[in-house]
């Protein structure tokens, strides 16, 4: 057992923590029976939840923590006063080598700030980014940044492109994923100086990236490229707009199916087919956003998710660890830095 | 006939112009039999399209123009060399008082640049914005800016809030529409300096606006506020992401209904209910984005729309003219400028 993969879990993060978190670990245990979990949080609350399930107890170790970071705490404040929190200590377990990756459904800003301090950014990376997979007509695409950096310069976007490309190769098993930068038109003169500058650098660079130029908002659903690069403000609004539109559409559908007896009958007949659509667009399926650019695997779950969603975030962390993602991305970034035309050189021009 | 409302139309703008445009005018004529249309474009191409329909001929006047602005022309280039184009002359007809409003499905950037030069911005408005209505769970909301200004400062966002509020009162017939600023979280510390600054100004100002603070991407679908204010980069990406997600969802549904005989039968039974959903989310229904902040009614149609979509853009222009929108917005902006705490004063602080 001592050689098995260990995932560190902030058991106090998320709207329905710790119950939702422990239930998520329960589900993950069934999918990954040889993984162990290190749960950080209030032992008085977590203990009873774990104790009732002997299979769960066998793969969980509880580490009592006296405090938790609240959902509305400012990152700077959390970093100052939260050194004994479940969030801080669960990240520290990765740094100490006790765990191979950490998952939290808690305060995103605090998680990122603490992870930067504890795990450190990778050499050559200025700013970490948050990346996730989203469903498209062609399958799935990687989108980053989803909100770690509200304002970005061209160099940040180029770094996101490099990291996103490695992420897509790892999680989507693609040989040469395509990369695009989000803009308000596909012509080269469109948009802000930042996106035009980033695009020019990727176009001119010797980076081994299949850069396809600019993409637009509807290219997310179309799956035009495998990796969509954008600043954290736009990415966050995009992600939530897509989620909100899917909900709107499914609510309109629900109303339509309830609008007549015939429609209700139609729903019953097509129900199993429709449930596949629901499953494919279920936000819980895409739960688990990776912090890219840190020296360690750190995965953020939605705060409002349920046990199934949390178990998917755990699965993302487990997959990334198993596929040696952290080592791959370090290698790739090191390669980029010895290329004749590197990011840093372009940056200086 | 000489006293009837006249709409000026750029007959050469749009992917399938002039055929699509003339067909759109045909549909609009049936809905608005007392409106006249001034069509600018290549008479040799438009003439035959109109001539075959005597009811259409009776309400259309063709003005021959020798050139048209191409879809990929840069705005600056179009402004320099396009003074005899259908786009320029159709806008000029509004300035000259020959028409009460103009509609084009052509090059957005060129349309905005020419409209600014010809119609001028309203006193007190720094930058015009593009606004449209989008479907929500509660009905419809106004979103602006959709791409006129890729980069905005806090003052621009405050102006958009004022203009969007008047627009919502006019087109949605609301007494006191609610207004929110798009951000990546609802807490006051979230996001960029620009959105925080704009929010603080709207919160502190004596403006008669029901400002609700920050909203997030999923608030668009929820219809949390009546007016969503954002910069043109974010707004454009949001709009296209929402459209792309709706298409993705409807494609998933189509596949589901085709996946089994039972599902096909279910579709047939619920078909008429489902077609209502399709109609409600049909982008053609929401075609017609208003240029706000200009001294005149100018409405942009999607370039790729069809006759039905174009007729809806014409309907937007006709409604705005009939409701005296241009006069209302001038009055409102004048009122704002005599308020004790005005936009300009806040700006100076």
């Amino acid at each position: 057992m001592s050689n098995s993969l260990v995932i560190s879990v902030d058991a106090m993060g998320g709207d329905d923590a710790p119950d939702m978190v422990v239930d998520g670990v329960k589900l993950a245990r069934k999918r990954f029976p040889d993984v162990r979990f290190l749960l950080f949080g209030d032992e008085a609350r977590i203990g009873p939840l774990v104790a009732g399930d002997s299979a769960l107890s066998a793969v969980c170790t509880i580490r009592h923590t006296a405090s938790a970071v609240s959902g509305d705490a400012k990152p700077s404040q959390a970093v100052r006063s939260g050194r004994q929190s479940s969030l801080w200590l669960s990240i520290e377990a990765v740094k100490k080598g006790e765990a191979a990756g950490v998952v939290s459904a808690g305060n995103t800003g605090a998680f990122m700030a603490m992870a930067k301090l504890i795990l450190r950014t990778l050499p050559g990376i200025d700013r970490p980014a948050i990346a996730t997979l989203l469903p498209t007509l062609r399958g799935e695409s990687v989108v980053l940044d989803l909100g770690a950096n509200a304002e970005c310069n061209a160099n940040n976007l180029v770094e996101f492109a490099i990291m996103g490309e490695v992420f897509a190769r790892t999680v989507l098993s693609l040989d040469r994923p395509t990369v695009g930068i989000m803009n308000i038109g596909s012509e080269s003169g469109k948009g802000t100086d930042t996106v035009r500058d980033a695009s020019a650098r990727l176009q001119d660079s010797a980076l081994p990236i299949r850069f396809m130029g600019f993409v637009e908002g509807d290219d997310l659903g179309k799956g035009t490229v495998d990796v969509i690069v954008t600043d954290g403000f736009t990415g966050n609004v995009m992600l939530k707009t897509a989620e909100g539109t899917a909900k709107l559409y499914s609510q309109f559908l629900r109303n339509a199916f309830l609008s007549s007896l015939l429609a209700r009958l139609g729903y019953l007949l097509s129900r199993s087919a429709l449930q596949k659509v629901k499953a494919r667009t279920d936000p819980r399926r895409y739960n688990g956003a990776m912090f890219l650019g840190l020296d360690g695997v750190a995965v953020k779950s939605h705060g409002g998710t349920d046990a199934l969603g949390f178990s998917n975030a755990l699965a993302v962390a487990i997959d990334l660890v198993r596929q040696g993602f952290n080592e791959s991305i370090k290698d790739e970034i090191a390669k980029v830095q010895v290329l004749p035309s590197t990011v840093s050189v372009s940056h200086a021009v």
Side-chain angles (χ1 to χ4, degrees), chain A:
Chain A
M1 263 312 212
S2 64
N3 284 326
S4 64
L5 191 159
V6 179
I7 296 293
S8 166
V9 178
D10 167 20
M12 307 309 283
D15 298 350
D16 299 321
D19 303 62
M20 174 281 285
V21 173
V22 174
D23 286 342
V25 172
K26 251 185 228 180
L27 291 175
R29 185 198 65 75
K30 288 175 190 152
R31 280 166 73 185
F32 306 99
D34 51 350
V35 172
R36 293 187 56 84
F37 301 91
L38 207 48
L39 309 183
F40 288 82
D42 182 352
E43 191 160 22
R45 296 181 64 193
I46 305 166
L49 298 171
V50 173
D53 182 329
S54 63
L56 185 65
S57 301
V59 297
C60 286
T61 306
I62 300 173
R63 294 276 178 89
H64 178 70
T65 62
S67 74
V69 174
S70 77
D72 55 4
K74 284 195 180 175
S76 54
Q77 170 203 336
V79 160
R80 269 198 314 275
S81 61
R83 304 274 166 136
Q84 295 305 315
S85 66
S86 56
L87 182 55
W88 179 279
L89 294 169
S90 63
I91 303 168
E92 212 174 48
V94 177
K95 182 68 181 175
K96 288 180 177 168
E98 295 179 319
V102 54
V103 179
S104 172
N107 183 319
T108 309
F111 189 8
M112 178 56 98
M114 288 178 171
K116 272 203 260 189
L117 268 174
I118 299 169
L119 302 175
R120 300 279 166 188
T121 53
L122 291 172
I125 294 297
D126 182 26
R127 306 249 209 116
I130 304 177
T132 196
L133 292 176
L134 286 174
T136 75
L137 280 178
R138 282 179 52 242
E140 292 173 340
S141 293
V142 172
V143 185
L144 77 165
D145 173 30
L146 298 175
N149 312 281
E151 278 164 299
C152 291
N153 61 32
N155 200 48
N156 299 143
L157 296 182
V158 172
E159 288 178 7
F160 297 170
I162 296 167
M163 298 194 293
E165 202 254 3
V166 181
F167 188 68
R169 269 192 272 155
T170 309
V171 298
L172 297 175
S173 307
L174 296 170
D175 273 348
R176 296 204 59 206
T178 53
V179 178
I181 291 182
M182 184 53 56
N183 198 357
I184 60 175
S186 51
E187 304 83 7
S188 62
K190 289 266 186 173
T192 60
D193 289 345
T194 305
V195 295
R196 285 198 299 265
D197 190 8
S199 172
R201 286 189 207 182
L202 284 168
Q203 216 103 48
D204 297 345
S205 82
L207 293 172
I209 284 183
R210 280 175 71 194
F211 179 60
M212 313 304 280
F214 293 134
V215 292
E216 302 179 58
D218 51 343
D219 289 306
L220 171 60
K222 287 182 193 162
T224 309
V225 291
D226 300 310
V227 181
I228 292 182
V229 171
T230 189
D231 65 89
F233 193 95
T234 308
N236 187 282
V237 172
M238 254 178 85
L239 172 73
K240 291 174 183 165
T241 298
E243 286 175 356
T245 305
K247 267 189 208 160
L248 176 71
Y249 207 100
S250 76
Q251 184 61 48
F252 281 169
L253 269 187
R254 195 168 303 133
N255 297 347
F257 283 125
L258 291 171
S259 66
S260 74
L261 267 176
L262 215 56
R264 275 172 203 249
L265 185 58
Y267 171 72
L268 288 176
L269 294 179
S270 41
R271 193 171 173 177
S272 82
L274 292 172
Q275 274 167 346
K276 277 178 216 149
V277 176
K278 202 178 166 188
R280 185 150 177 207
T281 55
D282 188 343
R284 293 178 303 178
R285 177 176 168 155
Y286 298 93
N287 190 31
M290 170 74 187
F291 287 175
L292 289 181
L294 296 173
D295 192 1
V297 168
V299 171
K300 170 68 175 71
S301 159
H302 273 266
T305 196
D306 62 8
L308 178 60
F310 195 81
S311 73
N312 284 332
L314 291 168
V316 169
I318 293 165
D319 281 350
L320 288 168
V321 169
R322 287 214 170 130
Q323 297 186 41
F325 175 70
N326 208 42
E327 291 67 40
S328 308
I329 200 166
K330 276 194 213 175
D331 287 353
E332 291 299 326
I333 290 167
K335 271 188 220 161
V336 165
Q337 277 153 355
V338 296
L339 277 177
S341 163
T342 68
V343 177
S344 318
V345 170
S346 303
H347 193 204
V349 172

